[in-house]
Amino acid sequence: MKLLFSLILIFSIALNVSNSTKTLNPLNINIKESNPTCFSESSFVGFTTAYIFNSINAFFPGENGQPPKQDTFYESGTISYDFQNQLYYNQFYELDISSNLTTTATTWIFGKNSTQYFIPTNDATCYIVSKDATLPSQMPLLFPAGSSEIGITPTQVLSITDTKMANYTAETLLVTSDCTPMIYSVSNLEYVAPGEALMNFFFYATEPNENLFQLPSLCAEPTPVESSKLSKSTKSILNMFQ
Ligand SMILES: *[C@@H]1O[C@H](CO)[C@@H](O)[C@H](O)[C@H]1NC(C)=O
Ligand SMILES: *[C@@H]1O[C@H](CO)[C@@H](O)[C@H](O)[C@H]1NC(C)=O
Ligand SMILES: *[C@@H]1O[C@H](CO)[C@@H](O)[C@H](O)[C@H]1NC(C)=O
């Protein structure tokens, strides 16, 4: 998925919205108005969405036990996630400015057999990561932290409790009154180096698309690869989950 709209326009508008959420008057917080069942573990089945995700120096979890590190990238793609059945599909384009690497690929993660498949676009190879591919089994902890408007659409600001990132970033999810995610935002805390990341969701559907979890025949004979060799972008949305 290439750019859906002008990147710069979206980025500058979204950044202003995200900044405004930081200056919300606490008196605006109306906990009664929040919908505590937005993403409850029992009712949440998953989702399918297109997205654009940009980061400028925001902190993200380190890999393999490393401390969080800053990253600057542009990414767009489509995700389908079946939370109950532990299935994950992500087709994406990423320009990682930090490493100056461009990746266009499709990846699948099957939580039940801890297997990940990865097909770089224009490369007739299906890579497999056996055993150590994981999907989150719990929903993130969310609590109401005010309200905002995206364009003229009223949104509820949900703060994400992410203990491994608590010393580095504040993370929020802005959702409509029917719990549709509009923006996921990451802001570096003021006592670490500055940085921001924003993910915008497009064409959000409240259910996984089962067709997308069918592996192509190319993956009948996959080539083994270590997970550390794969682009970390495939995990970006999973940062939202515990
Ligand atoms: C980034 O990679 C491209 C393509 O490999 C190369 O042409 C360019 O010089 C690199 N830029 C930097 C800043 O290293
Ligand atoms: C893992 O599970 C998926 C979905 O059921 C299946 O298509 C794939 O072949 C399995 N891979 C392995 C290595 O068991
Ligand atoms: C966060 O910082 C506090 C105080 O320095 C420290 O005790 C704690 O271990 C840190 N937590 C994480 C997850 O790094």
Side-chain angles (χ1 to χ4, degrees):
M1 295 269 305
K2 290 275 179 187
L3 281 174
L4 296 171
F5 302 104
S6 155
L7 171 61
I8 291 167
L9 184 67
I10 287 184
F11 192 76
S12 55
I13 291 173
L15 199 59
N16 288 336
V17 173
S18 125
N19 278 337
S20 73
T21 64
K22 283 189 225 152
T23 55
L24 284 171
N25 183 334
L27 294 176
N28 291 341
I29 298 175
N30 184 344
I31 289 172
K32 277 188 192 141
E33 241 174 44
S34 81
N35 182 349
T37 62
C38 253
F39 301 100
S40 82
E41 246 159 67
S42 53
S43 64
F44 179 74
V45 291
F47 60 85
T48 303
T49 191
Y51 68 94
I52 295 175
F53 194 15
N54 296 303
S55 170
I56 298 183
N57 290 327
F59 274 97
F60 289 94
E63 290 179 66
N64 309 318
Q66 296 295 306
K69 69 190 238 326
Q70 288 174 280
D71 206 356
T72 295
F73 61 84
Y74 160 74
E75 182 182 325
S76 63
T78 301
I79 289 169
S80 193
Y81 183 36
D82 184 331
F83 175 71
Q84 304 290 347
N85 296 310
Q86 295 281 287
L87 307 166
Y88 176 82
Y89 162 92
N90 183 197
Q91 178 259 318
F92 67 95
Y93 165 83
E94 187 193 70
L95 171 58
D96 191 320
I97 309 281
S98 307
S99 60
N100 193 28
L101 282 178
T102 301
T103 314
T104 311
T106 308
T107 191
W108 294 260
I109 301 175
F110 300 102
K112 287 187 176 160
N113 58 14
S114 306
T115 304
Q116 177 169 11
Y117 295 87
F118 188 90
I119 304 182
T121 307
N122 305 326
D123 182 352
T125 308
C126 176
Y127 295 97
I128 182 171
V129 178
S130 299
K131 299 197 176 68
D132 62 346
T134 53
L135 283 174
S137 55
Q138 285 178 308
M139 294 298 292
L141 287 174
L142 303 169
F143 62 91
S147 58
S148 187
E149 284 184 22
I150 297 177
I152 56 166
T153 304
T155 56
Q156 184 185 175
V157 180
L158 300 174
S159 175
I160 302 174
T161 303
D162 186 346
T163 46
K164 63 187 177 307
M165 295 303 292
N167 286 346
Y168 295 87
T169 58
E171 295 172 60
T172 56
L173 189 63
L174 277 68
V175 302
T176 59
S177 58
D178 65 355
C179 299
T180 303
M182 304 281 273
I183 289 177
Y184 164 59
S185 133
V186 179
S187 300
N188 291 1
L189 296 177
E190 53 197 33
Y191 52 82
V192 298
E196 289 269 349
L198 279 179
M199 180 179 218
N200 292 77
F201 299 87
F202 301 90
F203 306 107
Y204 185 89
T206 55
E207 55 194 25
N209 181 341
E210 299 302 329
N211 294 331
L212 296 176
F213 304 126
Q214 304 302 319
L215 282 173
S217 54
L218 187 59
C219 292
E221 290 183 42
T223 304
V225 66
E226 283 170 48
S227 70
S228 58
K229 300 255 162 51
L230 297 184
S231 165
K232 59 191 167 320
S233 61
T234 61
K235 292 195 175 113
S236 55
I237 197 169
L238 300 175
N239 291 338
M240 270 193 273
F241 296 80
Q242 291 299 301

